[in-house]
Amino acid sequence: MPQHTFRLNGEQVTVDVADDERLLWVLRDVLGVTGPKYGCGINVCKACTSHLNGRAVNPCAVPVGDLRPTDEVTTIEGLSAGTETDLHPMQRAWIDQDVSQCGYCQPGQIMAAVALVRRVTEEGRDITEADLDGIRNVCRCGTYVRIREAIRAGAEGMRRRG
């Protein structure tokens, strides 16, 4: 098996897996990182949403052979790294807005929301309704109204944090 090296939540990791092995399975089955959830496996439900070099990606669609040693993969487990608390502002907003019901999709939802806030901040603007409409993560419990409220509150928390 070929070796693949990349950064995961701030740590360099190396795995021995086939080039076409999907990153989701490497994270969950090889590295034991279970935050990214398996939902559909075909890049539709987005329950596995994580960050690759700061941008939202779905590891179910990323062959590990596409990663470089300098690539940084961040999962929900690494999201609060560098914060003064155990929770990232978006995670805190999720709790404050009482978003979770079953919770299965929430790690992917939060990771998508953080990537969105970072992107619109880089663009020098605030989140719009169209931006929120662009988040395509599926929530089977249907807490979309609270998700939208949490994203707005989390964005404010991220802005205050700097």
Side-chain angles (χ1 to χ4, degrees):
M1 288 281 169
Q3 285 193 331
H4 302 281
T5 300
F6 59 95
R7 297 186 59 75
L8 173 61
N9 296 328
E11 302 288 327
Q12 197 83 16
V13 297
T14 300
V15 294
D16 294 315
V17 296
D19 291 341
D20 63 349
E21 186 75 25
R22 298 302 168 167
L23 179 57
L24 178 61
W25 302 122
V26 172
L27 293 172
R28 292 184 59 81
D29 296 343
V30 178
L31 297 170
V33 177
T34 59
K37 303 300 185 215
Y38 171 72
C40 66
I42 57 172
N43 201 19
V44 173
C45 77
K46 307 202 182 306
C48 63
T49 302
S50 299
H51 296 168
L52 177 58
N53 301 323
R55 302 288 183 207
V57 298
N58 297 300
C60 69
V62 177
V64 74
D66 288 355
L67 297 179
R68 299 178 313 264
T70 56
D71 284 335
E72 177 73 40
V73 175
T74 305
T75 65
I76 193 77
E77 289 87 350
L79 188 60
S80 66
T83 63
E84 296 175 11
T85 65
D86 290 340
L87 294 176
H88 184 277
M90 194 63 72
Q91 291 170 304
R92 171 55 49 205
W94 240 250
I95 293 168
D96 292 347
Q97 298 297 324
D98 196 28
V99 172
S100 295
Q101 285 187 21
C102 83
Y104 195 80
C105 69
Q106 298 312 295
Q109 294 272 6
I110 290 169
M111 296 303 285
V114 169
L116 170 65
V117 171
R118 287 179 181 160
R119 181 176 56 81
V120 300
T121 300
E122 288 171 5
E123 294 171 1
R125 59 186 186 84
D126 291 328
I127 293 175
T128 65
E129 290 298 313
D131 292 322
L132 295 174
D133 290 345
I135 292 181
R136 296 289 184 211
N137 296 59
V138 175
C139 172
R140 292 180 181 126
C141 299
T143 63
Y144 295 108
V145 171
R146 287 183 288 190
I147 289 169
R148 293 168 85 95
E149 292 169 2
I151 293 170
R152 287 186 192 97
E156 182 58 34
M158 289 172 68
R159 190 176 359 242
R160 282 193 309 268
R161 187 179 94 179

